[in-house]
Amino acid sequence: MSLTFVIFGATGDLTSRKLIPALYALHRKQKLPAGTRVLGAARTDMTDEAWRNKLSESTPKFVDQAFDERAWSDFASRVHYQRFNIQDVADFQRLASRCAELEGGKDGVRVYYLATSPELYGDAVVRLGEAGLARETAGARRVVIEKPFGIDLPSAKKLNETVHRVFEERQVYRIDHYLGKETVQNLLVLRFANTIFEPVWNRNYIDHVQITVAEDVDVGKRGDYYDGAGVLRDMFQNHLLQLMTITAMEAPVRFEADAVRDEKVKVLRSVRPLSNDDVARHTFRGQYEGYREIVGVADDSQTATFAALRLQVDNWRWQGVPFYLRSGKGLSCRTTQIVVQFRRPPHMLFDANGSLDGDRLVVQVQPAEGIQLHFQTKVPDAGMRLRQTDLAVDFRQEFSGPLPDAYQRLLLDAASGDASLFARSDEVEFAWSIIDPIHAAWKGGAVPPLHAYEKGIWGPSACTPWIREQGREWFDVCPVLG
Ligand SMILES: NC(=O)c1ccc[n+]([C@@H]2O[C@H](COP(=O)([O-])OP(=O)(O)OC[C@H]3O[C@@H](n4cnc5c(N)ncnc54)[C@H](OP(=O)(O)O)[C@@H]3O)[C@@H](O)[C@H]2O)c1
């Protein structure tokens, strides 16, 4: 099969840090069809050779295994570059000729990867259409669209309409790289390839679910972008809601794109809308000290760099089980984890004070990758004193060696036409419809207050009493990497 990746934004950070290393790793593992080629496109004037040289300097820094020079030079010979401006219609005709020349007239799959700034996605798609580059007369044509997909519901709808004027939905791959992570897919396997978890995966046994995406880094040089977006748009609309849908969804009838996405959409549709009162009570926001001094950030910025939401999923499985979603910058450590907190036993035989925790299943998504089941055991030689211990699976140790970066899986899926791990148009829109009212309420009102926090801790200290008043505790543990 002839396969061509056309990367728009070839000179950018994402291309050098993620896309090229992932494609090289796939080539090295012989997972790409023989003869697969990559055509990078951006405005910078460069030859094929100059781009290859640039990439041969950057790629070794971003691959997780020893760099194989021979595999690299074989891969690099298939890498090409075209000077190209999305704003120049004639450049699309030149791009069409270059693709045809590289493909030697063979029919096959062409994947256009939009890795430029998001404002250019619409124009790029429209011009691909005008230049006939979306037509499937000589093989499949697919477009991968990076995040963010819109900045709110109206802009996401508009972008979806634009995209659908040119591509059919089956040709569109909206990426959320969290779904490409092995541990996230493992959550699906844990739930739907085993029988022991599913019977307890509901309101009868689960007290609540906590999903945390903590970053230890701060906003850095991205003040301009971040001050407009804030943590809600930057992290919740995509990564946190995606993790929540995977945790909460029903079993799809088949592991196929539309069956999986139908179930994810049902979860998003079941999320109870938050009224202004609910926003005051069920959301929490914070901003780290020093954020307003960053270039590009307003002196009186009210943008949240930390947030916690309590969402309810109104269906039979989850009625009354809160989903706590939490994310922030400048926190204690970098960790993404899903904590499923089970109820306590109905009758406490061993615990006179009633202080025993319920069992807990922790799915470590990154940087640790594994699963732990915390449960009560007896402390030896101490009467009937109990202590929580855990059974742990560390995927890296279990399967010896580093796990592949999410982009490897996602690029391969886009090439083979499997959109199961990509967001569908309605999914993106439902996700925005959950986030937009919270964003609007925060913008328009003083509640909840914006709590300041020092960098290097788990967000504002007031977030602990906030969840405690609801009878719960945050699971604030930085993962230990094996
Ligand atoms: N970086 C990441 O880790 C990351 C992670 C997740 C998502 N993303 C998303 O991926 C996208 C790219 O991010 P990035 O960090 O790689 O951005 P970036 O470093 O700013 O790169 C932008 C790229 O777009 C090209 N470009 C700009 N204007 C162009 C035009 N008119 N025509 C053609 N090419 C143009 C730039 O090259 P020239 O100046 O040479 O034209 C450059 O190659 C963004 O939407 C971002 O949100 C990035």
Side-chain angles (χ1 to χ4, degrees):
M1 179 185 84
S2 161
L3 173 62
T4 308
F5 286 98
V6 182
I7 302 178
F8 297 99
T11 54
D13 177 68
L14 183 72
T15 302
S16 56
R17 273 194 325 114
K18 294 288 181 187
L19 304 184
I20 293 294
L23 289 168
Y24 153 72
L26 290 171
H27 171 80
R28 193 183 151 175
K29 290 189 266 185
Q30 300 182 343
K31 292 203 170 188
L32 294 174
T36 296
R37 57 199 80 74
V38 178
L39 175 60
R43 291 168 307 177
T44 307
D45 196 4
M46 254 193 296
T47 59
D48 286 359
E49 211 46 47
W51 195 41
R52 286 175 193 155
N53 289 341
K54 206 167 162 272
L55 295 176
S56 60
E57 275 169 34
S58 58
T59 310
K61 292 184 224 152
F62 302 117
V63 291
D64 44 17
Q65 282 180 333
F67 190 65
D68 179 338
E69 288 289 352
R70 198 187 300 169
W72 171 258
S73 64
D74 189 36
F75 172 72
S77 67
R78 297 151 206 277
V79 167
H80 311 271
Y81 184 83
Q82 172 92 8
R83 183 162 64 89
F84 168 88
N85 188 344
I86 289 174
Q87 307 298 14
D88 185 343
V89 177
D91 274 359
F92 283 80
Q93 291 303 343
R94 282 189 272 274
L95 189 84
S97 313
R98 186 78 195 277
C99 286
E101 178 203 322
L102 292 171
E103 288 162 356
K106 281 195 218 108
D107 286 5
V109 176
R110 205 184 285 163
V111 177
Y112 304 110
Y113 198 117
L114 303 188
T116 60
S117 69
E119 305 81 60
L120 295 172
Y121 295 163
D123 286 349
V125 167
V126 168
R127 288 178 188 149
L128 279 169
E130 287 167 355
L133 285 160
R135 243 180 276 131
E136 295 200 303
T137 40
R141 300 291 178 260
R142 300 184 185 126
V143 61
V144 179
I145 305 179
E146 258 299 339
K147 76 152 209 177
F149 196 93
I151 55 161
D152 53 16
L153 180 58
S155 59
K157 273 189 166 161
K158 192 164 168 234
L159 184 55
N160 272 330
E161 280 162 19
T162 305
V163 169
H164 287 154
R165 281 204 294 275
V166 176
F167 290 97
E168 289 179 33
E169 179 60 30
R170 65 173 174 79
Q171 296 173 276
V172 185
Y173 292 71
R174 296 170 195 78
I175 209 160
D176 184 327
H177 69 273
Y178 268 55
L179 295 182
K181 290 183 184 294
E182 289 284 335
T183 4
V184 174
Q185 292 156 47
N186 238 313
L187 180 56
L188 289 170
V189 173
L190 184 86
R191 291 192 55 201
F192 303 131
N194 298 292
T195 49
I196 60 169
F197 297 105
E198 202 46 27
V200 296
W201 208 262
N202 56 52
R203 63 191 302 275
N204 298 327
Y205 293 93
I206 293 176
D207 175 74
H208 74 278
V209 177
Q210 288 180 25
I211 302 177
T212 299
V213 179
E215 295 184 283
D216 51 355
V217 294
D218 60 19
V219 171
K221 293 180 184 157
R222 295 168 66 224
D224 266 339
Y225 154 76
Y226 197 88
D227 211 37
V231 68
L232 273 187
R233 289 172 164 178
D234 190 45
M235 300 302 279
F236 282 73
Q237 184 275 339
N238 36 60
H239 307 323
L240 280 126
L241 286 178
Q242 284 292 343
L243 295 177
M244 178 175 148
T245 55
I246 298 277
T247 310
M249 69 192 264
E250 299 299 318
V253 283
R254 270 180 293 282
F255 195 65
E256 281 175 2
D258 274 332
V260 171
R261 299 185 300 180
D262 284 347
E263 296 306 334
K264 287 166 67 196
V265 164
K266 276 194 216 160
V267 176
L268 295 171
R269 291 181 67 176
S270 311
V271 172
R272 191 181 303 166
L274 295 181
S275 66
N276 273 355
D277 264 7
D278 295 330
V279 170
R281 283 182 298 127
H282 297 322
T283 74
F284 187 100
R285 58 177 164 162
Q287 186 187 75
Y288 68 75
E289 288 166 2
Y291 170 72
R292 293 176 189 174
E293 282 142 41
I294 294 176
V295 177
V297 172
D299 294 345
D300 57 351
S301 171
Q302 295 297 303
T303 298
T305 60
F306 173 95
L309 310 181
R310 174 194 156 111
L311 298 179
Q312 295 286 349
V313 179
D314 281 336
N315 61 20
W316 274 62
R317 184 185 287 270
W318 296 115
Q319 194 54 237
V321 179
F323 280 75
Y324 292 97
L325 311 189
R326 176 176 66 149
S327 181
K329 292 225 177 263
L331 302 188
S332 304
C333 56
R334 172 174 172 251
T335 181
T336 296
Q337 58 193 16
I338 301 168
V339 178
V340 178
Q341 177 69 58
F342 290 92
R343 290 180 188 280
R344 297 208 218 147
H347 175 56
M348 293 290 205
L349 208 55
F350 304 111
D351 175 40
N353 304 321
S355 61
L356 282 187
D357 275 344
D359 303 333
R360 187 187 298 125
L361 183 79
V362 181
V363 179
Q364 304 279 7
V365 177
Q366 70 171 18
E369 293 171 299
I371 293 176
Q372 295 143 5
L373 181 63
H374 299 234
F375 59 100
Q376 298 296 339
T377 48
K378 180 183 170 305
V379 179
D381 204 17
M384 284 312 280
R385 234 177 75 215
L386 307 188
R387 198 186 63 195
Q388 225 173 29
T389 357
D390 65 282
L391 275 176
V393 182
D394 177 332
F395 291 137
R396 285 171 209 234
Q397 283 180 7
E398 194 67 22
F399 299 103
S400 64
L403 299 181
D405 184 77
Y407 279 90
Q408 290 182 35
R409 169 69 192 257
L410 296 172
L411 285 164
L412 212 51
D413 283 1
S416 64
D418 181 354
S420 310
L421 300 176
F422 294 81
R424 204 168 58 190
S425 55
D426 51 348
E427 202 176 335
V428 172
E429 292 180 14
F430 275 117
W432 278 121
S433 72
I434 294 168
I435 296 304
D436 278 3
I438 304 172
H439 192 263
W442 281 7
K443 223 172 162 194
V447 287
L450 183 69
H451 296 269
Y453 63 98
E454 267 174 56
K455 281 197 280 186
I457 56 173
W458 286 93
S461 54
C463 201
T464 302
W466 178 79
I467 196 168
R468 237 173 232 167
E469 279 160 20
Q470 302 169 49
R472 275 104 189 184
E473 293 284 340
W474 290 116
F475 181 71
D476 285 343
V477 179
C478 292
V480 179
L481 291 174

